[in-house]
Amino acid sequence: MVELKTPSQITAMREAGRVVAQALAAVRAHAAVGVSPRELDDVAGKVIADAGATPAFLNYLPGFAKTPYPAVTCISVNDAIVHGIPGEDPLAEGDLVSVDCGAFVDGWCGDSAVTFAVGEPAPADAALMEATERALHAGIAAAVPGAKMGDVSAAIGEVCRAGRFGLLAGYGGHGIGRRMHEDPHVPNEGRAGRGLRLRPGLAIAIEPMFNIGGRDDSRLDADGWTIRTVDGTRAAHFEHTIAITEDGPRILTAL
Ligand code: MF3
Ligand code: CO
């Protein structure tokens, strides 16, 4: 069931989104050669705790997982697409790092992700990041009152296919509010004009995940969480929580 939020509830969600944005900014600022994802996870955890917020991912147990999620962030390096568990291996020059973070403030959730390179990105990685982030913003721009979910999905998928990237089939964005994952599903590919009509008060996380190899398949790591490309090519992930308002889409996880 899709639950619409009131304007004051969206204002409350913005506070959760702000904390997530601050955590991601702090992680990005700390990322460097020799720093481990585990240390970056601690940075995010401290920002969330200092804000009086609650991590949304820690101990989360969705239907698709066998074990509760063990960290504050997902940090997916190089061929890891999403849900990477932050580990002790230090980052190296040129690593492609996707950081996904969620937090609750006053019972409302924000969820956002960014991808960046450690140091100077390889040209192919820079192109991948640019396209994935552009697809996120194309999806957001399509999320206007009266449009259909298929318009959002089509906007994302067209950027992916035009760049000959692959996408993570079966995964996508989601409704969000008092829970991190609510209805509706937000596919990263679809047909314009189809699907749910978008109305003011709808809050969704939009999250394209593209890979360089151009394949749509993936494999689950032995850790039960990390999803990797099958061909070993690198992937990028960008995500914002947004609300559809009378005035158009509003990004709740901007700084
Ligand atoms: N943004 C990710 C998603 O919607 C958050 C995953 S949280 C985790 O899938 F705890 F499940 F990893
Ligand atoms: Co999400």
Side-chain angles (χ1 to χ4, degrees), residues 25-185:
V27 165
R28 190 174 189 147
H30 272 78
V33 172
V35 174
S36 74
R38 184 70 244 170
E39 291 170 68
L40 296 180
D41 193 70
D42 290 341
V43 168
K46 187 168 190 320
V47 170
I48 290 170
D50 287 352
T54 306
F57 295 5
L58 189 63
N59 296 319
Y60 187 61
L61 186 53
F64 59 78
K66 290 197 179 70
T67 53
Y69 191 70
V72 171
T73 59
C74 298
I75 303 188
S76 306
V77 181
N78 296 338
D79 65 314
I81 308 169
V82 278
H83 298 171
I85 298 173
E88 304 284 354
D89 288 350
L91 295 171
E93 172 69 26
D95 276 351
L96 193 64
V97 183
S98 299
V99 184
D100 192 346
C101 186
F104 284 94
V105 172
D106 293 335
W108 294 99
C109 192
D111 184 11
S112 182
V114 291
T115 300
F116 54 82
V118 178
E120 198 57 39
D125 293 347
L128 172 71
M129 284 190 282
E130 187 277 326
T132 312
E133 189 168 22
R134 181 156 43 83
L136 169 60
H137 287 283
I140 293 170
V144 297
K148 299 285 185 72
M149 188 63 82
D151 299 329
V152 174
S153 302
I156 296 167
E158 279 161 19
V159 174
C160 182
R161 300 309 177 192
R164 298 182 184 277
F165 298 108
L167 54 79
L168 185 54
Y171 289 79
H174 47 91
I176 182 168
R178 291 199 177 273
R179 288 174 297 126
M180 176 162 59
H181 291 137
E182 299 184 351
D183 287 341
H185 182 56

Side-chain angles (χ1 to χ4, degrees), residues 119-253:
E120 198 57 39
D125 293 347
L128 172 71
M129 284 190 282
E130 187 277 326
T132 312
E133 189 168 22
R134 181 156 43 83
L136 169 60
H137 287 283
I140 293 170
V144 297
K148 299 285 185 72
M149 188 63 82
D151 299 329
V152 174
S153 302
I156 296 167
E158 279 161 19
V159 174
C160 182
R161 300 309 177 192
R164 298 182 184 277
F165 298 108
L167 54 79
L168 185 54
Y171 289 79
H174 47 91
I176 182 168
R178 291 199 177 273
R179 288 174 297 126
M180 176 162 59
H181 291 137
E182 299 184 351
D183 287 341
H185 182 56
V186 183
N188 285 331
E189 188 164 47
R191 289 168 70 178
R194 300 293 181 94
L196 181 77
R197 180 171 292 279
L198 307 182
R199 298 168 60 191
L202 183 66
I204 52 175
I206 301 178
E207 48 182 317
M209 293 154 264
F210 295 173
N211 67 74
I212 288 178
R215 295 174 57 164
D216 295 348
D217 51 3
S218 62
R219 63 185 177 85
L220 184 65
D221 204 273
D223 66 19
W225 277 99
T226 311
I227 299 172
R228 297 184 187 276
T229 60
V230 171
D231 60 9
T233 61
R234 292 180 170 197
H237 177 208
F238 285 86
E239 176 178 17
H240 272 307
T241 296
I242 72 156
I244 289 137
T245 76
E246 305 277 2
D247 303 326
R250 178 175 175 205
I251 299 176
L252 303 179
T253 42

